[in-house]
Amino acid sequence: MAAAPSLLILHPRLTHIATTLCPFSVHRSRLPFLFDHSRYHSCSTSPFATSDVTETPRAGRSNSVSSPPVDYAQKIDVNPPKGTRDFPPEEMRLRNWLFHNFRQVSELFGFEEVDYPVLESEALYIRKAGEEIKDQLYCFEDKGNRRVALRPELTPSLARLVIQKGKSVPLPIKWFAIGQCWRYERMTRGRRREHYQWNMDIIGVPDATGEAELISSIVTFFKKIGITAKDVGFKISSRKVLQEVLNLYSVPENSFAKACIIIDKMGKIPMEEIKKELRSVELSNDAIEDLLQVLSIKSLTELEEKLGGSGEAVRDLKQLFSLAEKFGYSEWIQFDASVVRGLAYYTGIVFEGFDREGKLRAICGGGRYDYLLSTFGGDDIPACGFGFGDAVIIELLKERQLLPEVPLEVENIVCSLDPDLQGVAATVATRLRGKGQRVDLVLENKPLKWVFKRAARINAQRLILVGRSEWEKGMVNVKILSTGEQHQVNLDDLQ
Amino acid sequence: MAAAPSLLILHPRLTHIATTLCPFSVHRSRLPFLFDHSRYHSCSTSPFATSDVTETPRAGRSNSVSSPPVDYAQKIDVNPPKGTRDFPPEEMRLRNWLFHNFRQVSELFGFEEVDYPVLESEALYIRKAGEEIKDQLYCFEDKGNRRVALRPELTPSLARLVIQKGKSVPLPIKWFAIGQCWRYERMTRGRRREHYQWNMDIIGVPDATGEAELISSIVTFFKKIGITAKDVGFKISSRKVLQEVLNLYSVPENSFAKACIIIDKMGKIPMEEIKKELRSVELSNDAIEDLLQVLSIKSLTELEEKLGGSGEAVRDLKQLFSLAEKFGYSEWIQFDASVVRGLAYYTGIVFEGFDREGKLRAICGGGRYDYLLSTFGGDDIPACGFGFGDAVIIELLKERQLLPEVPLEVENIVCSLDPDLQGVAATVATRLRGKGQRVDLVLENKPLKWVFKRAARINAQRLILVGRSEWEKGMVNVKILSTGEQHQVNLDDLQ
């Protein structure tokens, strides 16, 4: 039986347990283990055996009558499923820091938090526009033969909930969500199958004030975490630019979303392939050439020259750029007609946040999706929103050395110096916790050296020691760890 | 085509849009909708048409060139999948309030937050002890033919991560998690398929100090949210009680977990069925009778008389009850030998929180699972923990009328009195947000009556109005909504 390397680790803190268990091999051999544990628990051959066993083993385990109650069919893989992540404490602190910032910014903008099931009906995502997101749907049949999917994005759920709530929620709706999204790729590209996404959406506002507010919130977020307009920019366009071009060539309406999805692949697949695909959705060669020319435009003035000043595309974009000045983020944004985004349902302004060094994928993206609710069978309500993943931003922060230190901080560590005083230590800990102090209570009889090491690891400010002679006077020892200062405090005076 | 009632709702705020859209029926009829929208958008026949359309429609939509870009294969169901929940804002605030309390208590006890994938390998849960949790596994085959499951509980993931981390994490490990867990039941019993669970676990502490600390944290949580020892109690026992009885009758070791799972069904299925099942796992009639007699014991003294004072069961329980006194929660706990809990892996002390009125299911449950890590192929490390769901506690809070009001609170609402001043309103909002003030910026030109209504809904403290004459002096109008007090403030002095 081949053992994965990660299964071979013997915890050094436990060598004393392993050692004391060995004499009870009668007990051990009775255990109906499914795998050869002697490889990990042999008394003498562990490569991790250490000699600093300073503690007397406690009575708890060595003469236990318990046996492992669980039969497992197979040895477990200690890794999370392919493409997924665990969040051990240090990763979780970082995630909490990030989400806290998402949440705080959303609340500054008066948005309300919502959430939806991570498992949705597959029908919510079955669009016929050739999107990557649909091809990569993490879908399956449940035990009741229903087609379900782990949500690839949050917007369809939002639309579903808005329709369901109907007139009970006054417009405009301003909602945000931070949710896990999934995709399934057969190919291994080192990409994860899940990520978290921060979404903010405005339902019921037809004007570009909506998009302007959304971009303002992302800018606020960037500033908050130390990212500047030198690091990041927003490319902004409108799908109405394409629509207006396509209208000139009488391209069928149902080609529009498909054409957008194809254009979104520019730079990822060869231009010849792009043209071929565009022809397949009934764009003439003339339409394609004109489209590609328009897509290369990088200035609003030039766009206005091309499309004229009376269309919605130019009007919306001019409104947005004018508002951006008032919001104070003009230096963050630029017009770029090549931006179309990869989701089928966008109808108007689209935008994406990008790394100015050009090393990373889009940091976030969003736009207007005025017809999503009505195509879902709901009312015809204008809407816009964005999605902001947790992956690229962390890469960017690492690149810029802006990733924060988020240390564990437990203010107090409480320890009894005598096994008989364990209960008193519990009383002390309870007293402090009642006053809102975080306390790590040492639950075993440990040498002081160990306690100091633990105190350092948890960044404790105070060490509170319960010793016999002080306790006889109702006192405990309080040591301020930064200064080494130490004094005796009456339990009742402990703050 | 039958329309679900929830699809028939026409939002009153949108009647003006529907109305203004109707004259553009040429545009509308071009839209390749999949279903008959005229039912929802007819100008005159909507059952929800209201007459309070006081606003001039904005230009944004009525002459739009956009068409719905998305083709959906079918009309969507506006409800979340069977057994799952949406969290609209009011539900989300309650969930955040609950999780905040879980988190705060866990941190008071010095525990570190972790998380694991919601999707795990099915192998993690395939135990052969007849547990309900395994029968109800929400499992499926992914596109790569791997057997996976939406996690039914968090402990196996914790064990997996602890083994993976190995010696890099010093013991004891004190981790907490708040994660969504899933089950699949074919039968509809009005039970949800997902719930959130708060877990706290201590890895590496063999003594009952671990369990005592865990119960202390749950008691702290209850007190924090207004629940007293009169509302809730903990029934406590140890699986070693059963083990010691079974040892007397030479019951095979691998019957232990199975017997526990069967006993856990007592009160749910007829006693004759229980006895039959116990016989099927090789318990003699004598063993069964003795077991049932022991399970009826409700006092530690009586237990000690029955089992003698030298066994681990009595010793652990006595230690726990003695510590409970020092922690200050004696009045919350009682010995009850009938508690065994329904998970296969528990080995020692087990406990469950119960509603003293007896109306609700167990509020939380936990215990010692000293062999889970080693049966998974990891080191032999003692461990204990609990799971605390989000469902029963909310029911209990409702019962006791302790459910908190968690209103939306956005401190400021900012509105321009003139469409031309929308940009200035954006500047004002940005200024306030930069000072950490939450601001709902009105993104459309709305009548004052509407703005006051919105201000009331979001519980705004201040209404900031941008009017032309004040703005010419660089001032804005600030109205304190609780008093009606109003004054003009220079933008630079706005705090």
Side-chain angles (χ1 to χ4, degrees):
Chain A
M1 188 184 68
S6 47
L7 291 176
L8 278 164
I9 297 161
L10 182 63
H11 203 295
R13 293 235 167 268
L14 288 167
T15 45
H16 71 275
I17 292 177
T19 315
T20 51
L21 276 170
C22 287
F24 295 85
S25 56
V26 177
H27 268 107
R28 303 291 301 173
S29 65
R30 282 171 56 218
L31 306 180
F33 281 132
L34 293 167
F35 5 97
D36 176 13
H37 273 66
S38 64
R39 290 186 59 177
Y40 319 122
H41 289 288
S42 62
C43 295
S44 55
T45 60
S46 164
F48 296 94
T50 58
S51 56
D52 69 338
V53 182
T54 52
E55 305 149 39
T56 321
R58 310 291 288 261
R61 308 256 301 157
S62 52
N63 54 355
S64 169
V65 294
S66 297
S67 65
V70 193
D71 259 5
Y72 280 88
Q74 53 191 104
K75 186 161 149 183
I76 66 147
D77 182 351
V78 297
N79 297 304
K82 198 172 169 183
T84 69
R85 286 172 291 180
D86 286 313
F87 289 88
E90 60 283 5
E91 298 291 332
M92 193 68 196
R93 282 195 295 275
L94 186 63
R95 175 176 130 183
N96 278 341
W97 169 84
L98 186 69
F99 289 9
H100 175 72
N101 281 290
F102 287 157
R103 207 163 261 134
Q104 236 179 15
V105 168
S106 306
E107 287 169 357
L108 276 182
F109 281 71
F111 281 58
E112 298 184 79
E113 189 168 1
V114 293
D115 196 11
Y116 326 97
V118 71
L119 195 73
E120 284 274 15
S121 164
E122 189 188 40
L124 224 47
Y125 313 104
I126 301 302
R127 302 181 290 243
K128 299 172 184 166
E131 297 158 288
E132 191 186 58
I133 205 166
K134 195 226 143 186
D135 295 339
Q136 295 180 353
L137 205 55
Y138 201 131
C139 53
F140 60 92
E141 201 163 272
D142 75 11
K143 291 178 181 176
N145 303 320
R146 282 177 208 87
R147 294 296 307 173
V148 288
L150 291 168
R151 61 185 178 198
E153 52 158 341
L154 303 175
T155 315
S157 302
L158 168 105
R160 185 180 56 62
L161 184 55
V162 169
I163 296 169
Q164 184 205 113
K165 287 282 162 189
K167 64 187 162 74
S168 70
V169 186
L171 295 179
I173 288 166
K174 295 177 185 176
W175 284 353
F176 79 97
I178 302 165
Q180 197 171 29
C181 298
W182 292 76
R183 72 169 149 221
Y184 192 96
E185 291 179 280
R186 276 179 192 280
M187 305 287 288
T188 320
R189 286 198 255 162
R191 294 175 78 187
R192 285 204 314 266
R193 287 188 176 159
E194 53 76 22
H195 75 297
Y196 280 88
Q197 211 180 80
W198 170 37
N199 276 31
M200 286 177 76
D201 293 88
I202 300 174
I203 316 293
V205 174
D207 286 1
T209 45
E211 290 92 323
E213 174 90 335
L214 293 174
I215 296 170
S216 178
S217 64
I218 307 177
V219 168
T220 304
F221 169 78
F222 280 138
K223 287 180 173 171
K224 202 165 181 302
I225 62 170
I227 299 222
T228 69
K230 284 190 187 117
D231 300 308
V232 160
F234 290 86
K235 291 178 186 165
I236 298 181
S237 184
S238 169
R239 284 205 177 168
K240 289 176 185 168
V241 171
L242 306 184
Q243 181 102 45
E244 287 175 26
V245 174
L246 296 189
N247 281 356
L248 295 176
Y249 294 90
S250 309
V251 173
E253 285 223 346
N254 63 13
S255 291
F256 176 62
K258 289 172 190 163
C260 291
I261 302 303
I262 295 163
I263 291 161
D264 186 58
K265 295 182 205 163
M266 272 171 56
K268 295 169 200 160
I269 62 172
M271 191 52 80
E272 272 319 301
E273 192 60 34
I274 298 279
K275 289 180 181 175
K276 197 177 132 196
E277 290 195 22
L278 286 172
R279 280 191 293 269
S280 79
V281 297
E282 298 182 54
L283 266 68
S284 66
N285 284 334
D286 284 355
I288 292 173
E289 286 314 314
D290 201 12
L291 197 61
L292 294 180
Q293 194 267 315
V294 169
L295 288 172
S296 70
I297 296 175
K298 307 266 187 238
S299 108
L300 257 184
T301 322
E302 204 186 321
L303 184 75
E304 192 167 352
E305 280 162 19
K306 172 77 192 174
L307 298 180
S310 65
E312 287 186 18
V314 169
R315 188 205 60 196
D316 292 352
L317 287 162
K318 281 169 96 172
Q319 190 193 5
L320 178 62
F321 277 79
S322 154
L323 281 167
E325 213 170 291
K326 301 293 188 178
F327 272 108
Y329 59 78
S330 290
E331 57 172 346
W332 294 73
I333 63 171
Q334 62 197 59
F335 173 73
D336 186 331
S338 72
V339 170
V340 288
R341 302 296 301 157
L343 291 166
Y345 47 68
Y346 288 130
T347 52
I349 285 173
V350 279
F351 55 88
E352 69 184 39
F354 69 99
D355 155 36
R356 289 202 195 267
E357 286 190 6
K359 289 185 190 165
L360 306 170
R361 282 168 291 138
I363 302 164
C364 58
R368 178 160 290 279
Y369 52 94
D370 278 353
Y371 290 102
L372 182 60
L373 274 82
S374 58
T375 47
F376 268 179
D379 294 331
D380 187 25
I381 311 180
C384 56
F386 70 80
F388 191 120
D390 69 336
V392 184
I393 185 65
I394 293 293
E395 284 177 62
L396 179 71
L397 289 168
K398 274 183 193 157
E399 280 268 343
R400 301 292 192 279
Q401 297 182 299
L402 286 168
L403 214 57
E405 290 276 335
V406 197
L408 170 63
E409 281 171 321
V410 185
E411 294 151 329
N412 306 277
I413 183 163
V414 171
C415 183
S416 70
L417 293 168
D418 183 321
D420 293 346
L421 293 173
Q422 184 65 52
V424 179
T427 305
V428 172
T430 303
R431 190 67 68 95
L432 283 168
R433 288 163 179 162
K435 291 181 175 162
Q437 292 272 319
R438 293 190 295 272
V439 177
D440 185 25
L441 173 61
V442 177
L443 298 167
E444 297 164 278
N445 190 28
K446 293 286 189 186
L448 262 181
K449 193 179 152 193
W450 184 96
V451 178
F452 276 102
K453 208 170 152 189
R454 177 118 185 149
R457 195 185 84 80
I458 66 173
N459 295 300
Q461 293 153 25
R462 297 194 296 183
L463 165 60
I464 291 140
L465 289 171
V466 183
R468 185 163 300 282
S469 58
E470 296 89 348
W471 184 243
E472 279 167 1
K473 297 175 282 172
M475 315 278 274
V476 293
N477 254 303
V478 177
K479 193 179 177 78
I480 308 299
L481 290 162
S482 58
T483 61
E485 187 193 339
Q486 192 167 330
H487 46 276
Q488 291 186 7
V489 178
N490 195 299
L491 179 59
D492 294 330
D493 300 330
L494 198 60
Q495 292 298 323
Chain B
M1 186 184 70
S6 47
L7 291 177
L8 278 164
I9 296 160
L10 183 63
H11 203 295
R13 292 235 166 269
L14 288 167
T15 45
H16 72 275
I17 291 178
T19 315
T20 51
L21 276 170
C22 286
F24 296 85
S25 55
V26 177
H27 267 107
R28 301 294 299 171
S29 64
R30 283 172 55 219
L31 306 179
F33 280 133
L34 293 167
F35 6 97
D36 176 14
H37 272 66
S38 64
R39 291 187 58 177
Y40 318 121
H41 290 288
S42 62
C43 295
S44 56
T45 61
S46 164
F48 296 95
T50 59
S51 56
D52 69 337
V53 180
T54 52
E55 304 149 42
T56 320
R58 309 291 290 262
R61 307 256 301 158
S62 51
N63 54 355
S64 170
V65 295
S66 296
S67 65
V70 192
D71 258 5
Y72 279 88
Q74 53 191 103
K75 186 160 150 182
I76 65 146
D77 182 350
V78 297
N79 297 304
K82 198 172 168 182
T84 70
R85 284 172 293 179
D86 288 312
F87 289 89
E90 61 283 6
E91 298 291 332
M92 193 69 194
R93 283 196 294 275
L94 186 63
R95 175 176 129 182
N96 279 341
W97 168 83
L98 186 69
F99 289 9
H100 175 73
N101 280 290
F102 286 157
R103 207 163 260 131
Q104 234 179 17
V105 168
S106 305
E107 287 169 358
L108 276 182
F109 281 73
F111 282 58
E112 298 184 79
E113 189 168 1
V114 292
D115 196 10
Y116 326 97
V118 70
L119 195 73
E120 284 274 15
S121 164
E122 188 188 41
L124 223 48
Y125 312 104
I126 300 301
R127 302 180 291 244
K128 299 174 186 166
E131 296 158 288
E132 190 186 57
I133 205 166
K134 194 228 146 187
D135 295 339
Q136 296 180 351
L137 206 55
Y138 201 131
C139 54
F140 60 94
E141 201 163 273
D142 75 10
K143 291 177 180 177
N145 303 320
R146 282 176 207 86
R147 294 295 308 171
V148 288
L150 291 168
R151 61 185 176 197
E153 52 157 340
L154 302 175
T155 315
S157 301
L158 167 105
R160 184 180 56 61
L161 183 56
V162 168
I163 296 170
Q164 184 205 113
K165 287 282 163 188
K167 64 187 164 73
S168 69
V169 187
L171 296 179
I173 288 167
K174 296 177 184 176
W175 283 353
F176 79 98
I178 303 166
Q180 197 172 29
C181 298
W182 292 75
R183 70 168 151 222
Y184 193 96
E185 291 179 279
R186 277 180 192 278
M187 305 288 288
T188 321
R189 285 197 255 160
R191 295 176 74 186
R192 286 204 313 268
R193 286 188 176 158
E194 53 76 23
H195 75 297
Y196 281 88
Q197 211 178 80
W198 170 39
N199 276 31
M200 287 177 75
D201 293 88
I202 300 173
I203 315 293
V205 173
D207 285 2
T209 46
E211 291 91 323
E213 175 89 335
L214 293 174
I215 297 170
S216 177
S217 64
I218 307 176
V219 168
T220 304
F221 169 78
F222 280 138
K223 286 180 173 172
K224 202 164 180 303
I225 62 169
I227 300 222
T228 69
K230 282 187 187 121
D231 301 307
V232 160
F234 291 86
K235 290 177 187 165
I236 298 180
S237 184
S238 169
R239 284 206 177 167
K240 288 176 184 168
V241 170
L242 306 183
Q243 180 101 47
E244 287 175 25
V245 174
L246 297 189
N247 282 356
L248 295 175
Y249 294 89
S250 308
V251 173
E253 285 223 349
N254 62 13
S255 291
F256 176 62
K258 289 172 190 163
C260 291
I261 302 304
I262 296 163
I263 291 161
D264 186 58
K265 296 181 205 163
M266 271 170 59
K268 295 169 200 161
I269 61 172
M271 190 52 78
E272 271 320 300
E273 193 60 33
I274 298 278
K275 288 180 179 174
K276 198 177 132 195
E277 289 194 21
L278 286 173
R279 279 191 294 268
S280 79
V281 297
E282 297 182 54
L283 266 68
S284 64
N285 284 333
D286 284 354
I288 292 172
E289 287 313 314
D290 202 11
L291 197 60
L292 294 179
Q293 193 267 317
V294 169
L295 288 173
S296 70
I297 296 175
K298 307 267 185 233
S299 108
L300 258 183
T301 321
E302 203 186 322
L303 184 74
E304 191 167 353
E305 279 163 19
K306 172 76 192 176
L307 298 180
S310 64
E312 287 184 19
V314 169
R315 187 205 58 198
D316 292 351
L317 287 162
K318 281 169 95 172
Q319 190 194 4
L320 178 60
F321 277 79
S322 153
L323 282 166
E325 212 170 293
K326 301 293 187 177
F327 272 107
Y329 59 78
S330 291
E331 55 172 346
W332 292 74
I333 64 171
Q334 61 198 59
F335 173 72
D336 186 333
S338 72
V339 171
V340 289
R341 302 296 301 156
L343 291 166
Y345 48 69
Y346 288 130
T347 52
I349 285 173
V350 279
F351 56 88
E352 68 184 40
F354 70 100
D355 155 37
R356 289 202 194 267
E357 285 190 6
K359 289 184 190 166
L360 307 170
R361 283 168 292 137
I363 301 164
C364 58
R368 178 160 290 279
Y369 52 93
D370 279 352
Y371 289 102
L372 182 61
L373 274 83
S374 59
T375 46
F376 267 179
D379 294 330
D380 187 25
I381 312 180
C384 55
F386 69 81
F388 191 119
D390 69 337
V392 183
I393 185 65
I394 293 292
E395 284 178 61
L396 179 70
L397 289 167
K398 275 184 192 155
E399 280 268 342
R400 300 294 192 278
Q401 298 182 299
L402 287 168
L403 214 58
E405 291 275 334
V406 197
L408 170 63
E409 281 171 321
V410 184
E411 293 150 332
N412 306 276
I413 184 162
V414 171
C415 184
S416 70
L417 293 169
D418 183 320
D420 292 346
L421 293 173
Q422 184 65 53
V424 179
T427 306
V428 173
T430 303
R431 191 68 69 94
L432 282 169
R433 288 164 180 162
K435 292 182 174 162
Q437 291 272 321
R438 293 190 294 271
V439 177
D440 185 25
L441 173 61
V442 178
L443 299 167
E444 296 164 279
N445 190 28
K446 292 287 188 185
L448 263 182
K449 193 178 153 194
W450 183 96
V451 178
F452 276 103
K453 207 169 152 191
R454 176 119 184 147
R457 196 186 82 81
I458 66 172
N459 295 300
Q461 293 153 27
R462 296 193 298 182
L463 165 60
I464 291 139
L465 289 171
V466 182
R468 185 164 301 281
S469 57
E470 296 89 348
W471 184 243
E472 279 168 359
K473 298 176 283 174
M475 314 278 273
V476 294
N477 256 303
V478 177
K479 192 180 178 77
I480 308 299
L481 291 161
S482 57
T483 60
E485 187 192 338
Q486 193 168 327
H487 45 277
Q488 291 187 6
V489 179
N490 195 298
L491 179 59
D492 294 330
D493 300 331
L494 197 60
Q495 293 296 324

